Amino acid sequence: MSNLSDITIFLLLDFSERFEQNILLFIFFLVIYLIALIANFLIISAVSFHNQLHTPMYFFLMNLSVMDLGSISVIIPKATINAYLNSREISYYGCITQVFSLFFFMLSDFFLLTTMAYDRYIAICDPLHYETIMDTKACLQLAAMAWIAGLFYSAWHTSSTFAITFCSNVLNQFFCEIPQLLKISCDNAYLIEVGVIVFNACIFLGCFGFIIISYVQIFKSVLRIPTSQGRNKAFSTCFPHLIVVSLTISTGGIAYLKPTSDYPSDLDVVTAVLYSVIPPLMNPIIYTLRNREIRIVLWKMFKCEI
């Protein structure tokens, strides 16, 4: 491949040459985006405007919804427009922005989920000191640390990726992502790829290990609760978080911990949809279905009675 050092645009995945199929994809992306938009905005509104939800757990949940809105807004609107216009183009700087923003929101999301595990650990294992430990200042600091860590690591990843030279501008993906960019590198991308995999593995294993240790202690404490009602209440606050963590780790791990292949693969597209679209869409739904307080507030917002 020749050296294309003056790339101004990248060509994304060509959805279809048929207008009817592109319209169906346009409708699919639009519906997915609107559902995620409405669901996350409802969570943000419920937590912001109702005093009974002004607790650390719901404060973190509101931040999670903001991150989910950001991550899905990085990808879906551009994919929707491209499907409607039957276009494949994204500018070089648009690609940089997409890579940076996606990593920023995804990593911040994962760091925040780790923080939420710590919040649940304090609430259940040390309830007498919960309000003292998880006061407003501590919550703001923990949330800020998640955002700042996501910002730092996304800047590092993005700058490392776009420091390489590209021999092509064709990406086998409907948005810009690092594994696909490494495939079209003129440089020896093997070391870069190994570095990305090792770094992501360290992040995932470190956060996941902390979450596992936290929940081992949580379940030990819950099992010591004498009443079944108390145990059920404790479990009800933990299960939505566990489901969201499992969804995020499984989809992100499949996408970013697997080695990149040299040939186009439908699996790459499927895994990209899984980690970039499914969590932002499902997270607010999972928390809404599993959390009675949020359901009550949402019903009140619509002037309905439970």
Side-chain angles (χ1 to χ4, degrees):
M1 292 188 293
S2 60
N3 184 346
L4 298 181
S5 58
D6 57 345
I7 289 177
T8 58
I9 63 169
F10 286 99
L11 298 179
L12 301 175
L13 183 68
D14 189 11
F15 290 115
S16 175
E17 295 181 356
R18 297 181 60 183
F19 177 75
E20 295 83 2
Q21 291 182 350
N22 283 330
I23 291 298
L24 288 176
L25 283 171
F26 166 76
I27 295 172
F28 170 76
F29 283 130
L30 184 61
V31 169
I32 290 291
Y33 185 61
L34 289 176
I35 293 174
L37 202 67
I38 293 170
N40 283 289
F41 264 123
L42 285 175
I43 296 290
I44 294 170
S45 300
V47 175
S48 299
F49 300 114
H50 292 83
N51 291 332
Q52 63 265 45
L53 299 184
H54 288 179
T55 64
M57 182 177 73
Y58 295 112
F59 169 74
F60 293 132
L61 178 57
M62 181 179 66
N63 275 265
L64 184 68
S65 291
V66 173
M67 293 171 183
D68 287 338
L69 274 178
S71 63
I72 200 168
S73 296
V74 170
I75 297 172
I76 297 301
K78 178 62 177 176
T80 304
I81 293 171
N82 282 358
Y84 181 75
L85 299 177
N86 193 22
S87 172
R88 301 173 57 191
E89 295 185 0
I90 183 171
S91 69
Y92 182 84
Y93 291 105
C95 190
I96 293 176
T97 302
Q98 209 169 55
V99 169
F100 172 81
S101 301
L102 182 61
F103 247 88
F104 170 54
F105 287 115
M106 285 182 56
L107 286 172
S108 299
D109 193 305
F110 194 52
F111 290 134
L112 187 71
L113 288 174
T114 307
T115 300
M116 293 172 74
Y118 174 72
D119 171 70
R120 292 298 84 206
Y121 166 77
I122 299 297
I124 294 175
C125 298
D126 194 8
L128 296 179
H129 298 95
Y130 178 71
E131 292 185 1
T132 304
I133 297 173
M134 298 300 293
D135 58 7
T136 302
K137 182 180 179 181
C139 291
L140 290 173
Q141 289 176 339
L142 289 170
M145 287 172 59
W147 285 99
I148 293 171
L151 180 66
F152 172 78
Y153 287 120
S154 62
W156 180 69
H157 263 304
T158 306
S159 60
S160 299
T161 301
F162 286 92
I164 64 178
T165 305
F166 300 108
C167 289
S168 173
N169 66 338
V170 180
L171 299 173
N172 185 47
Q173 191 57 271
F174 64 94
F175 62 93
C176 289
E177 66 169 358
I178 291 178
Q180 297 300 324
L181 288 165
L182 293 180
K183 287 184 183 181
I184 59 174
S185 168
C186 291
D187 305 325
N188 185 1
Y190 174 75
L191 293 179
I192 301 174
E193 180 181 345
V194 170
V196 169
I197 291 176
V198 170
F199 174 81
N200 289 331
C202 290
I203 293 293
F204 274 97
L205 292 176
C207 293
F208 185 62
F210 180 85
I211 293 171
I212 291 297
I213 293 172
S214 298
Y215 272 100
V216 168
Q217 298 302 317
I218 287 171
F219 288 141
K220 285 182 179 179
S221 297
V222 169
L223 293 176
R224 288 197 292 265
I225 297 176
T227 63
S228 60
Q229 184 178 2
R231 288 194 296 270
N232 291 336
K233 184 178 180 180
F235 279 130
S236 68
T237 65
C238 295
F239 278 136
H241 180 255
L242 278 176
I243 295 170
V244 169
V245 168
S246 301
L247 183 65
T248 302
I249 289 178
S250 59
T251 55
I254 290 172
Y256 278 91
L257 296 182
K258 70 178 182 64
T260 57
S261 60
D262 294 330
Y263 301 99
S265 170
D266 291 337
L267 179 62
D268 293 334
V269 179
V270 173
T271 55
V273 171
L274 286 176
Y275 83 83
S276 64
V277 176
I278 300 302
L281 177 66
M282 295 303 300
N283 288 353
I285 296 174
I286 291 169
Y287 272 103
T288 302
L289 292 177
R290 296 289 306 181
N291 193 295
R292 186 172 180 272
E293 288 182 303
I294 291 182
R295 291 201 306 270
I296 292 173
V297 168
L298 290 177
W299 279 115
K300 288 181 178 178
M301 289 173 62
F302 290 109
K303 296 182 179 180
C304 295
E305 295 182 0
I306 299 284

